[in-house]
């Protein structure tokens, strides 16, 4: 008990005695039925005062006790939060430095103290994903989702999990939710389209790509997205052609070319589809138009083969001369023309063509071999022998093959999309030089 309280009590007692000395009147207090007590008026008044003071003191003490308990709890909570913060920071640092074991240990320590710590759940899940444990990563991120809901951070973590685990259906669902959160954001829409493209769901891809173009009107990538629409339209046309709906396929191929003028596969496929319905004239026109737009040698050879099949080699030669004019005398086009002359036994023309490109190919064995055949067919045996010997002394070899200009993978036959790098419109007939 404090000194002030003691002094206060003594003063009240003294004051009570003093007043009771001069005020002798008494008050009868009935306690129970016939039981009553008589007290001096002064004692009664000051008794009530003491009772009030006692009650006030008890209430004050209870409040002080409650405040002490609250302060203790707040102090303990503050200490706990500080420990959680320190463990979480250590985990982030370990994760940043690639120490996954330490990161997992720190984030697990956070969750031991705070099982619903959303950010610790997310980062621990990220750590498991980096280790390749996708099932555990997904489990943790789904728990975070159940606590926090579909926040961008949680959804993006699940997006990475499902993408790494190649779970396309769940990935598509997450991307749909991210897309709905911000309809002006191109990123989830493009990612969703890419998932659908990987599944070769061309009908849905076409719908999504049109949305991409609508959303990207003011974006730098708008023109590129229009070209990608042309690629998807090409794939849609292939589906229609496979079902025997040639007219619809032709219309779709033309849309593809309109959106992607330099898309070689659509020119080739459109021409073949026109051939299938006996429209050879338009087919050849499409291939020639495609060559003018793309410069692709595949189209050049396709026109050549068509005219040779129809026994009209003069038209093939005529188109080669047009091609040389368009390509400013590309030596590789001249080489193809020279080979055609040789194949047609037009020896003088073949020789002139090879003379014109000698400076471009004189170091290659293929050139000397073809030139030797020209001399051989023109009965110039000595010159033919010289060229055949030069084949073995040449510094390099060359062959025309189907080459992906993106990843440099070679193929025996032409394909619209390179299986190695998964890119369209990259494979063309091209010279490959060895040595």
């Amino acid at each position: 008990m404090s000194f002030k309280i003691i002094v206060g009590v003594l003063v009240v007692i003294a004051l009570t005695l003093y007043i009771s000395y001069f005020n002798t009147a008494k008050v009868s207090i009935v306690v129970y039925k016939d039981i009553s007590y008589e007290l001096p008026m002064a004692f009664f008044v000051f008794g009530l005062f003491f009772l009030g003071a006692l009650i006030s003191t008890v209430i004050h003490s209870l409040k002080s006790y409650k405040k002490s308990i609250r302060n203790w709890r707040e102090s303990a909570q503050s200490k706990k939060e500080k420990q959680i913060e320190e463990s979480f920071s250590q985990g982030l640092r370990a994760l940043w430095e690639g120490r996954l074991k330490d990161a997992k240990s720190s984030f697990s320590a956070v969750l031991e103290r705070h099982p619903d710590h959303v950010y610790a759940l997310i980062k621990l899940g990220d750590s498991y994903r980096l280790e390749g444990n996708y099932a555990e990563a997904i489990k943790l991120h789904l728990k975070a989702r159940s606590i926090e809901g579909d926040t961008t951070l949680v959804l993006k973590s699940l997006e990475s999990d499902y993408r790494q685990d190649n779970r396309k259906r769940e990935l598509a669902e997450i991307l749909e939710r991210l897309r709905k959160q911000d309809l002006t954001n191109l990123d989830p829409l493009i990612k969703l389209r890419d998932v659908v493209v990987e599944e070769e769901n061309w009908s849905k891809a076409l719908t999504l790509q049109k949305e991409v173009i609508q959303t990207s009107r003011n974006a730098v990538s708008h023109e590129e997205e229009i070209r990608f629409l042309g690629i998807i339209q090409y794939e849609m046309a292939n589906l229609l052609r496979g079902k025997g709906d040639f007219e619809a396929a032709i219309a779709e191929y033309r849309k593809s070319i309109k959106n992607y003028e330099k898309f070689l596969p659509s020119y080739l496929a459109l021409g073949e589809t026109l051939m299938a319905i006996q429209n050879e004239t338009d087919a050849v026109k499409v291939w020639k138009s495609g060559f003018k737009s793309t410069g692709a040698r595949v189209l050049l050879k396709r026109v050549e083969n068509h005219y040779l099949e129809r026994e009209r080699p003069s038209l093939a030669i005529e188109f080669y001369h047009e091609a040389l004019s368009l390509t400013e005398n590309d030596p590789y086009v001249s080489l193809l023309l020279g080979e055609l002359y040789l194949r047609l036994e037009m020896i003088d023309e073949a020789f002139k063509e090879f003379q014109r490109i000698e400076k471009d190919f004189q170091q290659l064995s293929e050139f000397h071999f073809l030139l030797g055949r020209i001399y051989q067919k023109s009965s110039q045996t000595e010159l033919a022998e010289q060229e055949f010997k030069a084949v073995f002394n040449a510094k390099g070899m060359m062959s025309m093959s189907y080459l992906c200009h993106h990843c440099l993978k070679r193929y025996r036959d032409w394909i619209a999309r390179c299986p190695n790098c998964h890119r369209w419109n990259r494979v063309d007939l091209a010279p490959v030089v060895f040595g």
Side-chain angles (χ1 to χ4, degrees):
M1 188 176 291
S2 68
F3 176 73
K4 288 182 180 181
I5 293 175
I6 294 172
V7 172
V9 170
L10 292 175
V11 169
V12 170
I13 292 172
L15 187 61
T16 301
L17 293 172
Y18 176 76
I19 293 175
S20 64
Y21 180 78
F22 292 103
N23 296 274
T24 57
K26 294 184 179 181
V27 176
S28 180
I29 304 298
V30 178
V31 177
Y32 179 76
K33 291 183 179 180
D34 297 332
I35 303 173
S36 63
Y37 298 96
E38 289 187 349
L39 296 173
M41 177 63 74
F43 276 94
F44 177 72
V45 171
F46 283 102
L48 291 176
F49 170 79
F50 267 112
L51 181 62
L54 179 62
I55 292 171
S56 176
T57 301
V58 170
I59 292 171
H60 176 74
S61 298
L62 287 172
K63 285 183 177 180
S64 297
Y65 175 75
K66 187 177 180 181
K67 184 178 180 181
S68 298
I69 293 296
R70 185 172 64 251
N71 289 339
W72 175 79
R73 286 178 176 174
E74 287 177 354
S75 176
Q77 182 65 24
S78 177
K79 184 178 179 181
K80 180 181 177 182
E81 288 176 356
K82 187 176 180 180
Q83 290 174 337
I84 288 173
E85 185 178 342
E86 287 177 357
S87 295
F88 187 73
S89 296
Q90 290 172 359
L92 287 178
R93 187 161 51 253
L95 185 60
W96 179 261
E97 294 172 355
R99 294 181 286 110
L100 297 180
K101 185 176 179 180
D102 293 340
K104 285 163 51 183
S105 176
S106 296
F107 294 134
S108 296
V110 172
L111 293 171
E112 285 177 9
R113 297 186 179 93
H114 188 348
D116 292 339
H117 194 291
V118 172
Y119 295 110
L121 286 167
I122 290 172
K123 291 302 177 184
L124 181 57
D126 290 348
S127 302
Y128 275 109
R129 183 179 65 244
L130 290 170
E131 279 189 339
N133 190 342
Y134 305 124
E136 190 64 26
I138 291 168
K139 178 182 174 182
L140 289 162
H141 289 150
L142 285 175
K143 183 178 179 180
R145 186 184 189 185
S146 69
I147 297 167
E148 191 76 357
D150 284 346
T151 63
T152 301
L153 185 60
V154 170
L155 291 178
K156 282 190 172 293
S157 296
L158 283 167
E159 177 199 342
S160 298
D161 296 339
Y162 291 136
R163 189 181 300 281
Q164 292 290 322
D165 202 24
N166 200 32
R167 293 169 62 170
K168 291 185 171 61
R169 184 179 62 81
E170 292 89 345
L171 175 59
E173 183 263 331
I174 293 297
L175 290 170
E176 280 282 10
R177 291 183 179 275
L178 282 168
R179 174 189 168 205
K180 288 176 181 177
Q181 286 184 352
D182 184 2
L183 294 176
T184 62
N185 187 0
L186 269 173
D187 185 61
L189 181 57
I190 289 174
K191 287 178 177 178
L192 179 59
R193 177 210 63 197
D194 290 343
V195 170
V196 173
V197 166
E198 285 179 25
E199 294 177 333
E200 297 186 357
N201 186 342
W202 301 115
S203 178
K204 187 172 181 179
L206 186 61
T207 301
L208 289 171
Q209 185 59 16
K210 288 177 179 178
E211 290 185 40
V212 169
I213 290 170
Q214 186 67 28
T215 308
S216 69
R217 285 192 178 278
N218 299 320
V220 178
S221 61
H222 184 66
E223 291 300 321
E224 182 180 343
E225 296 300 344
I226 290 176
R227 289 193 292 273
F228 196 69
L229 175 62
I231 293 174
I232 295 173
Q233 287 168 328
Y234 162 77
E235 295 291 355
M236 276 297 298
N238 287 343
L239 287 178
L240 294 167
R241 181 182 168 190
K243 294 175 182 178
D245 193 347
F246 294 116
E247 294 300 328
I250 287 169
E252 207 65 31
Y253 283 131
R254 292 193 187 280
K255 289 178 187 176
S256 171
I257 291 169
K258 182 179 178 182
N259 287 318
Y260 193 169
E261 187 182 3
K262 294 184 179 297
F263 192 60
L264 163 63
S266 285
Y267 288 105
L268 271 172
L270 176 56
E272 298 295 351
T273 309
L274 289 167
M275 289 287 289
I277 60 172
Q278 309 301 316
N279 191 346
E280 294 188 12
T281 302
D282 284 348
V284 175
K285 284 181 181 178
V286 166
W287 291 328
K288 288 183 177 181
S289 172
F291 180 78
K292 290 176 183 177
S293 297
T294 67
R297 300 185 189 104
V298 169
L299 289 165
L300 193 61
K301 290 295 288 184
R302 185 63 188 90
V303 173
E304 174 194 321
N305 291 337
H306 171 76
Y307 283 134
L308 293 180
E309 287 167 4
R310 300 302 183 272
E311 297 183 354
R312 303 179 71 182
S314 61
L315 292 179
I317 293 168
E318 182 182 322
F319 183 54
Y320 266 109
H321 284 291
E322 288 179 31
L324 284 169
S325 177
L326 288 169
T327 60
E328 299 180 350
N329 294 314
D330 180 352
Y332 293 105
V333 175
S334 291
L335 180 63
L336 293 174
L337 176 56
E339 288 181 333
L340 176 60
Y341 280 138
L342 185 57
R343 182 178 174 186
L344 296 171
E345 303 289 334
M346 298 173 68
I347 305 304
D348 291 340
E349 289 80 358
F351 181 71
K352 288 178 183 178
E353 208 61 44
F354 273 80
Q355 271 192 320
R356 195 162 62 82
I357 59 174
E358 184 176 4
K359 64 180 184 300
D360 298 295
F361 299 108
Q362 62 182 350
Q363 301 297 324
L364 302 176
S365 59
E366 177 79 7
F367 175 78
H368 291 288
F369 176 76
L370 292 172
L371 192 55
R373 286 189 60 200
I374 291 172
Y375 286 131
Q376 189 179 48
K377 286 181 178 292
S378 60
S379 301
Q380 300 182 61
T381 309
E382 188 175 335
L383 291 174
E385 288 179 359
Q386 289 178 8
E387 292 301 327
F388 288 140
K389 287 179 181 179
V391 169
F392 300 101
N393 297 323
K395 295 181 178 179
M397 295 177 62
M398 182 192 73
S399 67
M400 297 293 284
S401 62
Y402 296 101
L403 178 74
C404 175
H405 291 286
H406 181 75
C407 67
L408 303 181
K409 182 78 172 177
R410 290 191 297 151
Y411 299 97
R412 292 181 59 185
D413 300 303
W414 179 84
I415 45 177
R417 188 182 187 188
C418 175
N420 189 54
C421 65
H422 307 291
R423 292 177 180 266
W424 284 270
N425 204 35
R426 293 295 189 274
V427 178
D428 190 16
L429 188 63
V432 179
V433 178
F434 305 91

